[in-house]
Amino acid sequence: MTKQMLDKQPREVSSKKTKSKSLPPAIQVESLSKSFGEQTVLKRISLEITQGETLAVLGRSGTGKSVLLKLIIGLHKPDAGSIRVNGAEVTNLPPKELNEVRKKVGFLFQQAALYDSLTVEENVAFPLRRHSKMSDGERNKRVHDLLASVGMDQDAHKLPAQLSGGMQKRVGLARALALDPEILLFDEPTAGLDPITAAETDDLILRLQKERHLASVVVTHDIHGARAVSDRLALLRDGEILIEGTFEDLRKSRDPFVVQFLNGS
Amino acid sequence: MANSATSINRTGSLSATGDVVVKFFEWFGNLGIFCAQWVRTAFTPPYELREFVHQFDELGSKSLPLVALAGAATGIVITLSTRDSLIRFGAKSLLPAVVVFSILKESGPIITALVVSGRAAAGIGAELGAMKVTEQIDAMEASAVNPYKFLVTTRVLACMLMLPLLTLVSDFFGILMGWIASTAAEPISLRLFIHNGFKDVTFHDFLPPTLKTIVFGLLIGMISCFQGMRASGGTEGVERAATNSVVLASLFIILADVLLVRLILVFFS
Ligand SMILES: Nc1ncnc2c1ncn2[C@@H]1O[C@H](COP(=O)(O)OP(=O)(O)OP(=O)(O)O)[C@@H](O)[C@H]1O
Ligand SMILES: [Mg+2]
C-alpha cells in the first residue's frame, strides 16, 4: 500500500509546485543559526517547503530537529537567519501578528505537552475555546470528531496522566488539528506507537494532505513512515543539512552516514 | 535576556561573591520585567474571566481551612499570653481591646499572608514550574494564547483579591477563639467581650491593615508565578520553583510589612 503511494508522489509534487507558484512558500528558512550558550545546535540551515508539500526531517537524537520546529513558530529566537511562514517573517513579528501566524499552524510536541489539569476533551477544546466562535454544541461535536479521527473518543473524559505515552501523542495530534491549520509541524508523530497505530497515524497525515492540501514538516526516526508521508526528506547532521531530496535521492547517496542511516533503521 | 546571560559569563573570572551579587541583580531585573509584563497584560483585553474565577475559587477553597485554623490558634495564643501580662500590670479589663486590636492591626493580616504563601505560593510555583518543564507553556504559546495573560495575570489578581477576604476570616476566628480562651480562664459574655473589644476601634484601625494584604497577595502571586515560569531542569527544577516561591514570598511579605506598617502609621494616625 505504501509502495503505491510512493510511486505516485513524484508526479504529485511537481503538480503541486506549479499550482502554487503565485503563493509564497509555506515555510522558508534561510541560513538559520541557533546556539544555546556555548553549544551550536543549528548552523546556517536553509529549507523551503512549498504549499501542499511534506518534508520529513531525519537525524540522530540531539541534532536539533525539535529546536528547528520550535524556531519555525517563534518559540525560540534564532541567533541569525530568517524564517518566513506564508511570507511573514516570524523572527521579528509583533506578538499579535505572530499569534495570527500561529493560529494557522498545528504543532505536535515531541512529548505531546497536554495540559495536565484538563481532560482529554478539554485539551482539544482549548484552542477552539480561545480562537473560534463556535457554539458549545458545535465545539463538542468538533472535539469528538477530532478525537474519533485519532481513535481516542473512548477516553475523552480521562486526564492526561491516565493515558499511555502513545495515547497522549494522539490527543496531541487531535489538538494540533483543532483549528484547521494550513501548516503542520509534527515532532515524531509516530514515536512510541505500535506499528498498527503508527500506520494509522501516517494514513491520517496522508489523508489530511490529500484533502486539505497542507504543508507539513514531520520530524521522525521512522524511515518507513517518512517515506510514506513525505515528498522530500532532509537529513540533519551536526547542525547542518547533510542531504535533501526524495527517498530515491537519499538511497542513491554514497555518503557512509546516509547509507548507515537508511539501513540502520 | 541575552544580555544578562553574557554578563553572567563575563563575571566567571570574578569572585564567588561577585557572582552572587550579579545573580541577585539579574533576578531583580527579570522580576521587574516580569511585573511590567503583568501590568501590560492585566489591563488589555481580552480578559480571561473564566480562568480568573477558577483560580479565585481554587485559591479560596484551598486556603480557607488553613487560614481559619491559623487565625483561631493566633487568637488563643494572643489571649493567653497578654492576659498574663495584663494581670501583672493590673489592667485585666483591657484584655478584649488588646486582643481585638492586635488581631485586626497586625497578627490577622500577617498570619493570613504567611499561611497563604505557604499554601498557594508553593502550589502555584510547582504548578507553573511543572507546566514549564513539560512544555505546556510552550504549547500554550503555540496555540496563540499568551501564557502571561492566561496563567499569570489571573493568578496574581486572584491572590490580590482573595487575601483581604481570607484576612477577614482569620480575624473572625481569631477574635472568636480569643473570647473562648478568655472565657475559659474567667467567664465573660461574648456581647461584653465584643463591646469592650470594639468600642475604640475606628475604620482607620481596621481598613488600612486589612487592605495592605492586597500587597501581600501581589507579592505571593507575582513571586510564585515568576519562579514557576522560569523553572527549568526537570523534576528538580519544579521542586526548586516551589521551595523558592514559598521562601521568597514569605521573606518579601515580612519586609514589605515593615514598610507598610510604617506608612500606615504616617498616613492614618
Ligand atoms: N531549551 C534548551 N536549552 C538549552 N539547550 C537546548 C534546549 N533545547 C534543546 N537544547 C539542545 O539542543 C540540542 C538539540 O535538541 P533537540 O531537542 O532539537 O534534539 P532532537 O534532534 O529533537 O533530538 P531527539 O531526536 O532526541 O528528539 C540538544 O543537544 C539539546 O541539548
Ligand atoms: Mg526532538
Side-chain angles (χ1 to χ4, degrees):
Chain A
M1 175 190 79
T2 40
K3 198 90 202 129
Q4 257 179 344
M5 286 171 183
L6 254 183
D7 291 339
K8 270 189 289 167
Q9 262 160 18
R11 257 177 292 132
E12 266 183 19
V13 176
S14 49
S15 70
K16 276 175 195 168
K17 272 193 176 149
T18 47
K19 219 187 286 174
S20 53
K21 217 165 211 168
S22 54
L23 291 167
I27 299 171
Q28 192 173 27
V29 173
E30 269 171 42
S31 49
L32 178 71
S33 301
K34 176 72 187 170
S35 338
F36 291 103
E38 303 281 278
Q39 182 197 5
T40 306
V41 178
L42 298 176
K43 295 176 207 156
R44 302 183 60 80
I45 294 240
S46 295
L47 277 174
E48 192 173 305
I49 294 104
T50 53
Q51 308 281 349
E53 188 191 26
T54 300
L55 176 78
V57 176
L58 308 168
R60 295 188 66 172
S61 176
T63 43
K65 305 183 294 295
S66 301
V67 170
L68 175 64
L69 287 194
K70 286 186 189 168
L71 279 162
I72 292 176
I73 55 161
L75 291 176
H76 289 311
K77 287 268 164 269
D79 301 329
S82 110
I83 303 161
R84 274 188 287 270
V85 176
N86 281 337
E89 177 68 52
V90 295
T91 47
N92 54 13
L93 221 51
K96 254 213 179 94
E97 277 112 88
L98 183 57
N99 276 345
E100 288 309 311
V101 172
R102 284 170 171 170
K103 280 183 212 169
K104 299 200 175 75
V105 179
F107 197 105
L108 172 63
F109 283 79
Q110 190 167 0
Q111 311 293 343
L114 300 181
Y115 307 122
D116 51 23
S117 59
L118 302 182
T119 63
V120 164
E121 59 180 356
E122 285 167 345
N123 261 283
V124 179
F126 186 85
L128 293 170
R129 233 183 244 294
R130 319 256 96 224
H131 301 302
S132 76
K133 296 192 169 55
M134 290 180 172
S135 68
D136 285 2
E138 285 169 332
R139 191 172 55 233
N140 279 341
K141 176 157 189 325
R142 173 103 181 110
V143 167
H144 283 272
D145 287 349
L146 284 163
L147 286 174
S149 71
V150 294
M152 286 295 298
D153 45 342
Q154 299 299 311
D155 305 280
H157 299 290
K158 287 191 177 160
L159 286 169
Q162 297 168 305
L163 303 180
S164 72
M167 291 159 98
Q168 293 186 10
K169 214 53 189 278
R170 285 186 279 155
V171 176
L173 194 64
R175 186 178 66 182
L177 297 174
L179 289 176
D180 263 331
E182 295 167 11
I183 295 174
L184 304 177
L185 303 176
F186 285 171
D187 202 344
E188 305 195 12
T190 56
L193 298 182
D194 63 277
I196 298 170
T197 318
E200 281 170 6
T201 306
D202 285 340
D203 283 346
L204 174 68
I205 296 174
L206 271 172
R207 203 169 66 227
L208 286 165
Q209 287 162 1
K210 278 226 188 73
E211 288 169 3
R212 315 234 354 266
H213 203 63
L214 301 173
S216 31
V217 180
V218 180
V219 168
T220 181
H221 287 297
D222 168 20
I223 297 276
H224 301 291
R227 210 177 147 174
V229 300
S230 68
D231 304 311
R232 268 188 309 137
L233 298 91
L235 180 57
L236 282 183
R237 190 179 65 168
D238 297 334
E240 287 167 318
I241 296 178
L242 182 65
I243 183 169
E244 188 188 341
T246 61
F247 185 76
E248 292 309 314
D249 294 338
L250 264 68
R251 205 155 60 181
K252 277 183 217 135
S253 167
R254 291 271 164 272
D255 187 296
F257 183 79
V258 180
V259 172
Q260 195 189 3
F261 204 93
L262 295 190
N263 298 332
S265 60
Chain B
M1 287 286 205
N3 284 339
S4 52
T6 50
S7 71
I8 284 279
N9 285 341
R10 247 184 273 130
T11 57
S13 54
L14 289 182
S15 66
T17 339
D19 221 44
V20 169
V21 171
V22 169
K23 280 234 171 77
F24 177 78
F25 281 110
E26 194 204 0
W27 185 85
F28 252 103
N30 286 337
L31 182 63
I33 295 169
F34 191 81
C35 293
Q37 209 154 6
W38 180 77
V39 171
R40 215 173 40 228
T41 53
F43 301 106
T44 46
Y47 304 105
E48 305 285 353
L49 197 63
R50 231 178 94 107
E51 178 67 9
F52 166 76
V53 171
H54 174 70
Q55 289 306 325
F56 192 70
D57 181 43
E58 188 96 333
L59 182 65
S61 59
K62 279 184 179 155
S63 312
L64 191 71
L66 292 173
V67 165
L69 195 65
T74 317
I76 297 175
V77 170
I78 289 176
T79 309
L80 293 182
S81 58
T82 45
R83 185 166 188 278
D84 189 47
S85 320
L86 288 177
I87 287 174
R88 213 181 299 171
F89 295 115
K92 204 174 67 182
S93 63
L94 289 179
L95 183 63
V98 173
V99 170
V100 167
F101 265 76
S102 56
I103 287 178
L104 289 188
K105 289 189 85 148
E106 191 46 41
S107 57
I110 193 83
I111 291 288
T112 307
L114 291 177
V115 167
V116 175
S117 116
R119 179 70 193 77
I124 293 173
E127 187 191 11
L128 296 196
M131 289 186 77
K132 179 74 198 305
V133 303
T134 57
E135 297 186 320
Q136 291 173 56
I137 307 249
D138 280 346
M140 200 169 275
E141 264 189 78
S143 16
V145 174
N146 182 340
Y148 283 92
K149 211 169 172 53
F150 190 78
L151 300 171
V152 177
T153 308
T154 51
R155 281 168 174 76
V156 174
L157 269 182
C159 288
M160 287 172 74
L161 297 185
M162 187 45 94
L163 263 198
L165 298 180
L166 288 172
T167 303
L168 292 182
V169 172
S170 159
D171 288 351
F172 173 80
F173 280 97
I175 292 168
L176 185 69
M177 289 313 286
W179 167 68
I180 290 177
S182 74
T183 301
E186 186 183 329
I188 171 174
S189 78
L190 179 58
R191 255 183 96 115
L192 188 61
F193 187 88
I194 297 285
H195 178 262
N196 285 348
F198 280 90
K199 75 173 178 265
D200 293 319
V201 175
T202 64
F203 255 108
H204 283 175
D205 297 316
F206 164 70
L207 222 44
T210 306
L211 292 184
K212 82 178 173 189
T213 58
I214 293 177
V215 178
F216 298 159
L218 178 72
L219 287 170
I220 292 174
M222 210 59 114
I223 290 175
S224 58
C225 286
F226 177 62
Q227 293 296 338
M229 295 285 276
R230 74 206 290 265
S232 65
T235 330
E236 208 180 308
V238 177
E239 193 238 283
R240 242 189 341 258
T243 319
N244 288 345
S245 297
V246 181
V247 173
L248 292 171
S250 311
L251 191 67
F252 274 79
I253 285 170
I254 293 170
L255 294 179
D257 199 29
V258 175
L259 207 69
L260 289 169
V261 165
R262 184 78 204 124
L263 282 178
I264 288 171
L265 280 179
V266 169
F267 286 106
F268 293 98
S269 59

